[in-house]
Every structure is written in C-alpha cells, then in structure tokens.
Amino acid sequence: MELGEVVRRRRMVRAYDPGRPVPPQVLTRALEHATRAPSAGFSQGWDFVVLTSEEERGRFWSAATDPAARARMDPWLRGVMSAPCLVVCLSDKQAYLERYAEADKGRTDRDEARWPVPYWDVDTGMAALLMLLTAVDEGLGGLFFGVPGERVGQTLTALGAPADRRVVGVVAMGYAATDRDRRSPSLRRGRRPVAEVAHRGRFGTPWEEVSGP
C-alpha cells in the first residue's frame, strides 16, 4: 500500500474480531517499525509490553480500569476490550537524562528542567504512530488510548514494569469488527484544512497551495 493511502485510511478502530489474532509476523513488523521512530540523541527511551493472551490482557484491564467501569461495560470499553493484541507503550525519562549527560552532549547536571518538552513521551508517541500505520498497511485496525492517571501505578505493577516508567498510551490492534465498529461522533467536527493550520513564514499568514508539477 502506498504511504499516502495508509495515512488517509488510518483511523481509530474501536471494535475488533476477538477470534482473529494478529499474525505474529505482522506484530513483529509493527514493533520493528516502532524502533525506527526518531528519538532525541538516539536515546530510544521506550519499551513496549505486548499482551496477546487472554490472561495478559485481563491482567491489564483489571489494573487499568475501574471496577465500576468494567461492571457498566459501555460500548467503548466493550469494543476496545475485544482487541486481541495490546501494546503498552512506556517512556523512560532517565534514559534521556543519562544520554544527554554523555560527553558528546555534556549536560552533566541531568536536570529535567533543561528539556523544553518531555521528548521521552513525544518520541514514544511517534513510535506508537508507526505501529498504527503498520496495522493499516497490513489490513488491520488500530487504536491509541490512554490509561487514567490514578490507574498508572497499579498498571505498571501488573505489567512488572519499573515504577519510573510512564504509560504514554496503549496501541490496540486487530481485525476490525465492521458490524460493531462505530466511528467517533467527534469526527463531525471536521478536519481542519491545511490553509487553516499551516502558516507561511509567520503565524497568521495562511499557507497557500503552490500550483505546479
């Protein structure tokens, strides 16, 4: 599939066929592509916890969701819980602070305040996007969702992950259940056009499409 078509087809899928697991080779390819994401200083401060068995996913959902929410089981949660594969994307801030304390970077104080934005989270998010695009390219659907802040600690514990990691988000992956998947009503807001979001030269000067070959 051409890159442009993959990008246009990418959307958040919220219901899956639980009887069709993600082929191992597809999952491996998605993870390999994730490691090609850019990272500041080539720090690569990310980890991906892959959950494919019912027991693994159940342990995640028990930790990441409130019991009352699981009891209600609204359509969103029911649909996402049908995903046969979850990839929990963790960022490692310390990997970046240590990398930039090395001789070629020279920030020996390891001061987090010197970072204008948390690139450990940004880079991990870009890795997650590459997984989502790979899913589309392979004919699967994907969804990126977050873990509530108050559930992060116990989620890390349930995954056996270090307490200093941050759950940037979770990639759900699988074959879309077209009869149950519903597009988000938020899409009614419409996509902001390039002329509105892109600024030529300075903020407030709209980007105008350049004609030509």
Side-chain angles (χ1 to χ4, degrees):
M1 196 181 299
E2 292 292 330
L3 176 61
E5 185 177 359
V6 169
V7 172
R8 287 189 295 271
R9 287 192 179 189
R10 191 218 58 77
R11 67 181 185 84
M12 296 301 191
V13 172
R14 295 170 172 80
Y16 300 85
D17 182 347
R20 298 183 68 188
V22 177
Q25 65 272 22
V26 171
L27 184 50
T28 297
R29 192 169 301 123
L31 294 167
E32 288 174 344
H33 289 176
T35 67
R36 307 293 296 189
S39 67
F42 210 36
S43 302
Q44 305 170 81
W46 46 50
D47 290 281
F48 310 111
V49 183
V50 184
L51 312 174
T52 56
S53 74
E54 186 174 351
E55 185 277 330
E56 292 166 346
R57 298 192 307 273
R59 182 159 27 92
F60 166 81
W61 288 116
S62 293
T65 56
D66 184 88
R70 293 197 303 277
R72 286 195 308 273
M73 194 61 71
D74 64 30
W76 185 92
L77 186 57
R78 183 182 302 108
V80 178
M81 287 183 68
S82 67
C85 175
L86 300 174
V87 182
V88 186
C89 303
L90 309 176
S91 68
D92 181 3
K93 173 176 66 178
Q94 199 59 36
Y96 285 71
L97 301 184
E98 293 296 333
R99 170 69 185 97
Y100 275 74
E102 294 178 16
D104 62 324
K105 298 297 183 182
R107 295 184 181 179
T108 55
D109 55 13
R110 295 174 173 79
D111 184 4
E112 180 183 350
R114 299 183 66 171
W115 290 79
V117 294
Y119 276 97
W120 38 92
D121 295 338
V122 172
D123 295 348
T124 302
M126 287 193 280
L129 177 58
L130 290 179
M131 283 190 257
L132 293 172
L133 293 176
T134 302
V136 174
D137 192 42
E138 296 287 348
L140 281 74
L143 171 73
F144 186 75
F145 66 95
V147 172
E150 69 274 11
R151 312 290 298 187
V152 167
Q154 60 202 81
T155 299
L156 291 172
T157 299
L159 298 175
D164 64 351
R165 298 299 195 270
R166 178 137 62 187
V167 180
V168 174
V170 184
V171 174
M173 196 181 305
Y175 291 93
T178 54
D179 59 328
R180 293 185 288 110
D181 185 36
R182 297 291 181 268
R183 291 178 178 268
S184 169
S186 298
L187 293 175
R188 296 173 189 149
R189 294 167 52 87
R191 193 178 306 280
R192 295 176 67 192
V194 171
E196 181 179 313
V197 301
H199 309 260
R200 184 183 293 278
R202 61 181 293 149
F203 195 93
T205 302
W207 176 270
E208 295 180 359
E209 183 178 351
V210 178
S211 59

